[in-house]
Amino acid sequence: TKVRMLRCLKRMGRLPAVLRAPRGTGVAGDHNLFLRASVPSAVVARRGCGSEWVSRGMSSSQAEAAKEKADVRCEACTGTVDLYHQHILIFTGDAPWPPMVEHKVDGIPIVSKTMQIIQNRNKQGLNGDVIFKVGAIEGHYDANADLAAATKAGVFDVLLFPSALRFQATEADMEDLVESFLSFSTPYQHLSPPPDGRIAGQPLNEDTHLMVCVHGSRDAKCGDIGPVLADNLEACLSPDLKKDVRVYRCSHLGGHKFAGNLLVYPKGDWYGNLVAADSLNIVTEILSGQESLKSELLSQHWRGRLGVNKDEQVYLFDQSKQST
């Protein structure tokens, strides 16, 4: 990554804001992305982060300089996904989320309990090399079901990715549930059911799962961009497609400075800097089956992938550009 930063310094004359931030955090048409940070607001990049350019009140040299800065900034969103192998997402109903759903005191109890279980198991070395990520999903898995009994009993729908399995569990079940998840520790594969005595999950009905961060109490940008992006993604799906594709509104995923953020399972690709106008072509590209880094549009927004660390994400991105 040092080489990458030096390249940015050389091209821009300074370190862009996106790289100063702490770590960890096809259908034709226009993809209008109003660039933020160091790029002048008058510049509009089409097709994500800039193959065609429109400028107002700028000389050709200024427009070219702005384009170069935008290219660097968008390229820099690659390699911004922390390494993890399993993603636990819990439907928490319609109540507003606190800023940190996993907080020990102020968070959502079942999400907080799950995070504490994972942290305790990490300290004891019980999770091996498997890194878990935990979050919440707005609403209910089955919006048409009679939820009164399940809610009263404290039963929650828990999703596990990339295995795309649904479990029903209470807070008291989460210790055993996390242990059972170790049976699904290999990315990108649907493995056999857990051993006898462990909680078994049911495969999800859909094949493709689109996770959009809408966590406005955590970050205003996600709260502004995320819900509109999620609504537009859903609007792009025909009734038939909705049988195979589902859009979820999720709590903080990580990297809110890249909002709108989209995470696609089961492959586990992350995309950032999306706006509602991108929705139709984003959905079309994702469902085309094309490798994300071979798609001009998707690669411009690609942040990283489940099961791959940040340096490997940058390597994959650079290799894809060299092969084109």
Side-chain angles (χ1 to χ4, degrees), residues 175-224:
E175 183 83 47
D176 290 337
L177 197 57
V178 170
E179 183 179 355
S180 77
F181 288 166
L182 295 176
S183 300
F184 301 90
S185 58
T186 303
Y188 320 135
Q189 293 184 10
H190 296 268
L191 305 182
S192 58
D196 292 342
R198 296 186 178 182
I199 300 173
Q202 297 296 320
L204 295 178
N205 296 327
E206 302 83 11
D207 296 323
T208 303
H209 309 272
L210 309 180
M211 311 286 172
V212 180
C213 178
V214 298
H215 200 164
S217 63
R218 180 69 176 264
D219 183 80
K221 188 185 296 183
C222 294
D224 290 339

Coordinates of all heavy atoms in Angstrom, one line a residue, residues 175-224:
E175 N -24.8 -18.7 21.8 CA -23.5 -19.3 22.1 C -23.4 -20.6 21.2 O -22.4 -20.8 20.6 CB -23.4 -19.7 23.6 CG -22.1 -20.4 24.0 CD -21.0 -19.4 24.2 OE1 -21.2 -18.4 24.9 OE2 -19.9 -19.6 23.6
D176 N -24.4 -21.4 21.3 CA -24.4 -22.7 20.4 C -24.4 -22.3 19.0 O -23.8 -23.0 18.1 CB -25.6 -23.5 20.8 CG -25.5 -24.2 22.1 OD1 -24.4 -24.3 22.7 OD2 -26.5 -24.6 22.7
L177 N -25.2 -21.2 18.6 CA -25.3 -20.9 17.2 C -23.9 -20.4 16.7 O -23.5 -20.8 15.6 CB -26.3 -19.7 17.1 CG -26.9 -19.5 15.7 CD1 -27.5 -20.7 15.1 CD2 -27.9 -18.4 15.7
V178 N -23.2 -19.6 17.4 CA -21.9 -19.2 17.0 C -21.0 -20.4 16.8 O -20.2 -20.4 15.8 CB -21.3 -18.1 17.9 CG1 -19.8 -17.9 17.6 CG2 -22.1 -16.8 17.9
E179 N -21.0 -21.3 17.7 CA -20.2 -22.5 17.6 C -20.6 -23.3 16.3 O -19.7 -23.8 15.6 CB -20.4 -23.4 18.8 CG -19.5 -24.6 18.7 CD -19.6 -25.5 20.0 OE1 -20.3 -25.1 20.9 OE2 -19.0 -26.6 20.0
S180 N -21.9 -23.4 16.0 CA -22.3 -24.1 14.8 C -21.8 -23.4 13.6 O -21.5 -24.0 12.5 CB -23.8 -24.3 14.8 OG -24.4 -23.1 14.4
F181 N -21.6 -22.1 13.6 CA -21.2 -21.3 12.4 C -19.8 -21.7 12.0 O -19.4 -21.5 10.8 CB -21.3 -19.8 12.7 CG -22.7 -19.3 12.8 CD1 -23.0 -18.0 13.3 CD2 -23.8 -20.0 12.3 CE1 -24.3 -17.5 13.3 CE2 -25.1 -19.6 12.4 CZ -25.3 -18.3 12.9
L182 N -19.0 -22.2 12.9 CA -17.7 -22.6 12.5 C -17.7 -23.8 11.5 O -16.7 -24.0 10.8 CB -16.9 -23.0 13.8 CG -16.6 -21.9 14.8 CD1 -15.9 -22.4 16.0 CD2 -15.7 -20.8 14.1
S183 N -18.8 -24.5 11.4 CA -18.9 -25.5 10.4 C -19.1 -25.0 9.0 O -19.0 -25.7 8.0 CB -20.1 -26.4 10.7 OG -20.0 -27.0 12.0
F184 N -19.3 -23.6 8.9 CA -19.4 -23.0 7.6 C -18.4 -21.9 7.4 O -18.6 -20.8 7.0 CB -20.8 -22.3 7.6 CG -22.0 -23.3 7.8 CD1 -22.4 -23.5 9.0 CD2 -22.5 -23.9 6.7 CE1 -23.5 -24.4 9.2 CE2 -23.6 -24.8 6.9 CZ -24.1 -25.0 8.2
S185 N -17.1 -22.3 7.7 CA -16.1 -21.3 7.8 C -15.3 -21.1 6.4 O -14.4 -20.2 6.4 CB -15.0 -21.7 8.8 OG -14.5 -23.0 8.6
T186 N -15.7 -21.8 5.4 CA -15.0 -21.6 4.1 C -15.8 -20.7 3.2 O -16.9 -20.9 2.9 CB -14.8 -23.0 3.4 OG1 -14.1 -23.9 4.2 CG2 -14.0 -22.8 2.1
P187 N -15.2 -19.6 2.8 CA -15.9 -18.6 2.0 C -16.3 -19.2 0.7 O -15.7 -20.1 0.1 CB -14.9 -17.5 1.8 CG -13.9 -17.6 2.9 CD -13.8 -19.1 3.2
Y188 N -17.4 -18.6 0.2 CA -18.0 -18.9 -1.2 C -18.5 -20.3 -1.3 O -18.8 -20.8 -2.4 CB -16.9 -18.7 -2.3 CG -16.0 -17.5 -2.0 CD1 -14.7 -17.6 -2.2 CD2 -16.6 -16.3 -1.7 CE1 -13.9 -16.5 -2.0 CE2 -15.8 -15.2 -1.4 CZ -14.4 -15.3 -1.6 OH -13.7 -14.2 -1.4
Q189 N -18.7 -21.1 -0.3 CA -19.2 -22.5 -0.4 C -20.4 -22.7 0.5 O -20.5 -22.2 1.6 CB -18.1 -23.5 0.0 CG -16.9 -23.5 -1.0 CD -15.9 -24.6 -0.6 OE1 -16.2 -25.5 0.2 NE2 -14.7 -24.6 -1.3
H190 N -21.3 -23.5 -0.1 CA -22.5 -24.0 0.7 C -22.0 -25.3 1.3 O -22.0 -26.3 0.5 CB -23.7 -24.1 -0.1 CG -24.2 -22.7 -0.6 ND1 -25.1 -21.9 0.0 CD2 -23.8 -22.0 -1.8 CE1 -25.3 -20.8 -0.7 NE2 -24.5 -20.9 -1.7
L191 N -21.7 -25.4 2.5 CA -21.2 -26.7 3.1 C -22.4 -27.5 3.6 O -23.5 -27.1 3.7 CB -20.2 -26.4 4.2 CG -19.1 -25.4 3.8 CD1 -18.1 -25.3 5.0 CD2 -18.3 -26.0 2.6
S192 N -22.0 -28.7 4.0 CA -23.0 -29.7 4.5 C -23.5 -29.2 5.8 O -22.9 -28.3 6.5 CB -22.4 -31.0 4.6 OG -21.3 -31.0 5.5
P193 N -24.7 -29.6 6.3 CA -25.2 -29.2 7.6 C -24.3 -29.4 8.7 O -23.4 -30.3 8.7 CB -26.5 -30.0 7.8 CG -26.9 -30.4 6.4 CD -25.6 -30.6 5.6
P194 N -24.4 -28.7 9.8 CA -23.5 -28.9 11.0 C -23.7 -30.3 11.6 O -24.6 -31.0 11.3 CB -24.0 -27.8 12.0 CG -24.8 -26.9 11.2 CD -25.4 -27.6 10.1
P195 N -22.7 -30.7 12.4 CA -22.8 -32.0 13.0 C -24.0 -32.1 13.9 O -24.6 -31.1 14.3 CB -21.5 -32.0 13.9 CG -20.6 -31.0 13.3 CD -21.5 -30.0 12.7
D196 N -24.4 -33.3 14.2 CA -25.6 -33.6 15.1 C -25.4 -32.8 16.4 O -24.3 -32.8 16.9 CB -25.8 -35.1 15.3 CG -26.2 -35.8 14.0 OD1 -26.7 -35.1 13.1 OD2 -26.0 -37.0 14.0
G197 N -26.5 -32.3 16.9 CA -26.5 -31.7 18.2 C -26.3 -30.2 18.1 O -26.4 -29.4 19.0
R198 N -26.0 -29.7 16.9 CA -25.9 -28.2 16.7 C -27.1 -27.7 15.9 O -27.8 -28.5 15.3 CB -24.6 -27.9 15.9 CG -23.3 -28.3 16.7 CD -22.1 -27.9 15.9 NE -20.9 -28.2 16.7 CZ -19.7 -27.9 16.3 NH1 -19.5 -27.2 15.2 NH2 -18.6 -28.2 17.0
I199 N -27.3 -26.4 16.0 CA -28.4 -25.8 15.4 C -28.2 -25.8 13.9 O -27.2 -25.4 13.4 CB -28.6 -24.4 15.9 CG1 -28.8 -24.4 17.4 CG2 -29.8 -23.7 15.2 CD1 -28.9 -23.0 18.0
A200 N -29.2 -26.3 13.1 CA -29.2 -26.3 11.7 C -30.0 -25.2 11.1 O -31.0 -24.8 11.6 CB -29.7 -27.7 11.2
G201 N -29.5 -24.6 10.0 CA -30.2 -23.5 9.3 C -30.9 -24.0 8.1 O -30.6 -25.0 7.5
Q202 N -31.8 -23.1 7.6 CA -32.5 -23.3 6.4 C -31.9 -22.4 5.3 O -31.7 -21.3 5.5 CB -34.0 -23.0 6.5 CG -34.7 -23.9 7.6 CD -34.7 -25.4 7.1 OE1 -34.9 -25.7 6.0 NE2 -34.4 -26.3 8.1
P203 N -31.7 -23.0 4.1 CA -31.2 -22.1 3.0 C -32.2 -21.0 2.7 O -33.4 -21.2 2.7 CB -31.2 -23.1 1.8 CG -31.1 -24.5 2.4 CD -31.9 -24.4 3.6
L204 N -31.7 -19.8 2.4 CA -32.5 -18.7 2.0 C -33.2 -18.9 0.7 O -32.7 -19.6 -0.2 CB -31.7 -17.4 2.0 CG -31.1 -17.0 3.3 CD1 -30.3 -15.7 3.2 CD2 -32.2 -16.7 4.4
N205 N -34.4 -18.3 0.5 CA -35.1 -18.5 -0.8 C -34.5 -17.9 -2.0 O -34.5 -18.4 -3.1 CB -36.5 -18.0 -0.6 CG -37.3 -18.7 0.5 OD1 -37.2 -19.9 0.7 ND2 -38.2 -17.9 1.2
E206 N -33.8 -16.8 -1.8 CA -33.2 -16.0 -2.9 C -31.8 -16.5 -3.1 O -31.1 -17.0 -2.3 CB -33.3 -14.5 -2.6 CG -34.6 -14.0 -2.3 CD -35.1 -14.2 -0.9 OE1 -34.2 -14.5 0.0 OE2 -36.3 -13.9 -0.6
D207 N -31.3 -16.2 -4.4 CA -29.9 -16.5 -4.7 C -29.0 -15.3 -4.5 O -27.8 -15.6 -4.3 CB -29.9 -16.9 -6.2 CG -30.7 -18.2 -6.5 OD1 -30.7 -19.1 -5.6 OD2 -31.3 -18.3 -7.6
T208 N -29.5 -14.1 -4.7 CA -28.6 -12.9 -4.6 C -29.1 -12.0 -3.5 O -30.4 -11.7 -3.4 CB -28.6 -12.2 -5.9 OG1 -28.1 -13.1 -6.9 CG2 -27.6 -11.0 -5.8
H209 N -28.2 -11.5 -2.6 CA -28.6 -10.7 -1.5 C -27.9 -9.4 -1.5 O -26.6 -9.4 -1.5 CB -28.3 -11.5 -0.2 CG -28.9 -12.9 -0.2 ND1 -30.2 -13.2 0.2 CD2 -28.4 -14.1 -0.7 CE1 -30.4 -14.5 0.0 NE2 -29.3 -15.0 -0.5
L210 N -28.6 -8.3 -1.6 CA -28.0 -7.0 -1.7 C -28.2 -6.2 -0.3 O -29.3 -5.9 0.1 CB -28.7 -6.2 -2.8 CG -28.8 -6.8 -4.2 CD1 -29.5 -5.9 -5.2 CD2 -27.5 -7.2 -4.7
M211 N -27.1 -6.0 0.3 CA -27.1 -5.3 1.7 C -26.7 -3.9 1.5 O -25.6 -3.6 1.1 CB -26.1 -6.0 2.6 CG -26.2 -7.5 2.6 SD -27.6 -8.0 3.6 CE -27.6 -9.8 3.2
V212 N -27.6 -3.0 1.9 CA -27.3 -1.5 1.8 C -27.3 -1.0 3.2 O -28.2 -1.2 4.1 CB -28.4 -0.8 1.0 CG1 -28.1 0.7 0.9 CG2 -28.5 -1.4 -0.4
C213 N -26.2 -0.2 3.6 CA -26.2 0.4 4.9 C -27.1 1.6 4.9 O -27.0 2.5 4.1 CB -24.7 0.9 5.2 SG -24.6 1.7 6.8
V214 N -28.0 1.6 5.9 CA -29.0 2.8 6.0 C -28.9 3.3 7.4 O -29.8 4.0 7.9 CB -30.4 2.3 5.7 CG1 -30.5 1.8 4.3 CG2 -30.8 1.2 6.7
H215 N -27.8 3.1 8.1 CA -27.7 3.4 9.6 C -27.4 4.9 9.8 O -26.3 5.3 10.1 CB -26.5 2.6 10.1 CG -26.6 2.4 11.6 ND1 -25.9 1.4 12.3 CD2 -27.3 3.0 12.6 CE1 -26.1 1.5 13.6 NE2 -26.9 2.5 13.8
G216 N -28.5 5.7 9.7 CA -28.4 7.1 9.9 C -28.0 7.6 11.2 O -27.3 8.6 11.4
S217 N -28.3 6.8 12.3 CA -27.9 7.3 13.6 C -26.4 7.1 13.9 O -25.8 7.7 14.8 CB -28.7 6.5 14.7 OG -28.4 5.1 14.7
R218 N -25.8 6.2 13.0 CA -24.3 6.0 13.1 C -23.6 7.0 12.3 O -22.5 7.6 12.7 CB -24.0 4.6 12.7 CG -22.5 4.2 12.7 CD -22.0 4.1 14.1 NE -20.6 3.6 14.1 CZ -20.2 2.4 14.2 NH1 -21.1 1.4 14.4 NH2 -19.0 2.0 14.2
D219 N -24.1 7.3 11.1 CA -23.5 8.3 10.2 C -24.6 8.9 9.3 O -25.3 8.2 8.7 CB -22.4 7.6 9.3 CG -21.7 8.6 8.4 OD1 -20.8 9.3 8.9 OD2 -22.1 8.7 7.2
A220 N -24.6 10.2 9.3 CA -25.6 10.9 8.5 C -25.6 10.6 7.0 O -26.7 10.6 6.4 CB -25.5 12.4 8.7
K221 N -24.4 10.4 6.5 CA -24.3 10.2 5.0 C -25.0 8.9 4.7 O -25.7 8.8 3.7 CB -22.8 10.2 4.6 CG -22.6 10.1 3.1 CD -21.2 9.9 2.7 CE -20.3 11.1 3.1 NZ -18.9 11.0 2.7
C222 N -24.8 7.8 5.5 CA -25.4 6.6 5.3 C -27.0 6.7 5.4 O -27.7 6.1 4.7 CB -24.9 5.5 6.3 SG -23.2 5.1 6.0
G223 N -27.4 7.5 6.3 CA -28.8 7.8 6.5 C -29.4 8.5 5.4 O -30.6 8.4 5.1
D224 N -28.7 9.4 4.7 CA -29.2 10.2 3.6 C -29.2 9.4 2.3 O -30.2 9.3 1.6 CB -28.3 11.4 3.4 CG -28.5 12.4 4.5 OD1 -29.6 12.4 5.2 OD2 -27.6 13.3 4.7

